[in-house]
Amino acid sequence: MLVSSVSFAVDAGEKTYYYKQTKVVKNGVSSTQVGGGQFITFIGDICFESTKYGVAVGHGNMDLQRELSTSSIKRYSGGCYYGTDAIYAFSSDLSVLNITTKDDVVYVYKRSTPPSGINTCSLIRKRKKKDSSPVQHSVTTSTPQYFPNLITPAIIPAQSVSSSTQTQNTKGHQCPLCKGKGRKIVENYWGQSGDQTKWCDECYQRVGIGHTHHKCDLCGGDGWIEGY
């Protein structure tokens, strides 16, 4: 029950009111040694704690709980200073507000004219500081996986070439047999039967079981032929 109540009429338009705290009730004991107040803005079936200009202070929105409301009391719950478990109960003309927390503490507010110079709520949750520590990024590597039904083009890994080899290559031509790789492909299927395959680490694909790589006998493994 509200500590004080009057008849109810809520307009769907946006309205902002200031509520001054007048009392707190803990374990049935009332105290008027309180102060401060909250601005609350109403828009349709939601309300939220705001500045005097209707700008939210960052506590979230509270929704009208129709199943908990009556013709004389409208109850809201959701994001607010007192937590998502709190219930905001307004009288019919929005002149009285009782806030009940999960600990059954009741804070009593009365709508009034805000004090001079007061432009926002006296109770605003402190925002957590952003973590300034550097973000740690983990890097993972993986080896190529074989998918039996997937055919991909061969990927030839880059070959490391010494500076002396690069100098020699400027004097000759790329070997037409190994295409400059220094190793040639040999296919040997004699005496084999059936569809047998394996993974080739040099071609990066599935190949026949008789597929091998050998040192190129045309260029001697250098990948180039002088004067060719």
Side-chain angles (χ1 to χ4, degrees), residues 152-214:
T152 58
I155 303 175
I156 307 301
Q159 302 289 326
S160 59
V161 182
S162 64
S163 58
S164 60
T165 302
Q166 290 177 334
T167 302
Q168 290 177 336
N169 284 345
T170 59
K171 300 178 182 180
H173 299 273
Q174 185 183 79
C175 176
L177 180 60
C178 66
K179 306 300 182 184
K181 302 181 191 65
R183 290 171 62 81
K184 65 178 182 179
I185 297 175
V186 177
E187 306 284 359
N188 183 5
Y189 296 99
W190 293 347
Q192 297 179 15
S193 62
D195 184 14
Q196 296 176 303
T197 61
K198 65 178 181 180
W199 176 262
C200 177
D201 290 330
E202 293 190 50
C203 293
Y204 277 54
Q205 65 179 356
R206 299 294 294 188
V207 295
I209 197 67
H211 175 98
T212 57
H213 288 259
H214 298 275

Side-chain angles (χ1 to χ4, degrees), residues 38-41 46-50 56-65 76-88 90 99 121 123 125:
Q38 302 291 90
F39 286 98
I40 297 181
T41 296
I46 69 170
C47 67
F48 52 88
E49 291 154 327
S50 69
V57 296
H59 295 163
N61 297 332
M62 291 173 285
D63 298 306
L64 175 64
Q65 304 300 313
Y76 294 76
S77 67
C80 65
Y81 174 82
Y82 293 95
T84 56
D85 294 319
I87 297 293
Y88 278 46
F90 294 89
I99 301 174
C121 298
L123 298 176
R125 289 200 302 263

Side-chain angles (χ1 to χ4, degrees), residues 15-179:
K15 296 179 180 179
T16 299
Y17 298 119
Y18 178 76
Y19 291 86
K20 178 182 178 181
Q21 187 175 357
T22 60
K23 186 186 300 185
V24 60
V25 182
K26 296 182 180 179
N27 299 320
V29 180
S30 299
S31 173
T32 58
Q33 301 300 311
V34 294
Q38 302 291 90
F39 286 98
I40 297 181
T41 296
F42 297 83
I43 303 177
D45 286 342
I46 69 170
C47 67
F48 52 88
E49 291 154 327
S50 69
T51 68
K52 68 181 295 183
Y53 307 106
V55 179
V57 296
H59 295 163
N61 297 332
M62 291 173 285
D63 298 306
L64 175 64
Q65 304 300 313
R66 296 185 180 278
E67 69 280 5
L68 301 178
S69 301
T70 66
S71 59
S72 60
I73 300 173
K74 296 299 180 182
R75 292 181 170 87
Y76 294 76
S77 67
C80 65
Y81 174 82
Y82 293 95
T84 56
D85 294 319
I87 297 293
Y88 278 46
F90 294 89
S91 60
S92 57
D93 63 353
L94 304 181
S95 65
V96 177
L97 164 62
N98 287 182
I99 301 174
T100 304
T101 68
K102 64 179 180 179
D103 299 321
D104 291 327
V105 178
V106 180
Y107 298 90
V108 182
Y109 288 80
K110 185 176 181 180
R111 194 174 78 193
S112 61
T113 301
S116 177
I118 300 300
N119 297 320
T120 191
C121 298
S122 61
L123 298 176
I124 299 179
R125 289 200 302 263
K126 293 182 179 180
R127 297 182 180 179
K128 295 181 179 179
K129 293 182 179 180
K130 293 184 178 180
D131 186 3
S132 58
S133 59
V135 178
Q136 299 295 327
H137 296 282
S138 59
V139 179
T140 59
T141 58
S142 59
T143 56
Q145 296 184 2
Y146 168 56
F147 299 91
N149 297 323
L150 180 63
I151 300 175
T152 58
I155 303 175
I156 307 301
Q159 302 289 326
S160 59
V161 182
S162 64
S163 58
S164 60
T165 302
Q166 290 177 334
T167 302
Q168 290 177 336
N169 284 345
T170 59
K171 300 178 182 180
H173 299 273
Q174 185 183 79
C175 176
L177 180 60
C178 66
K179 306 300 182 184

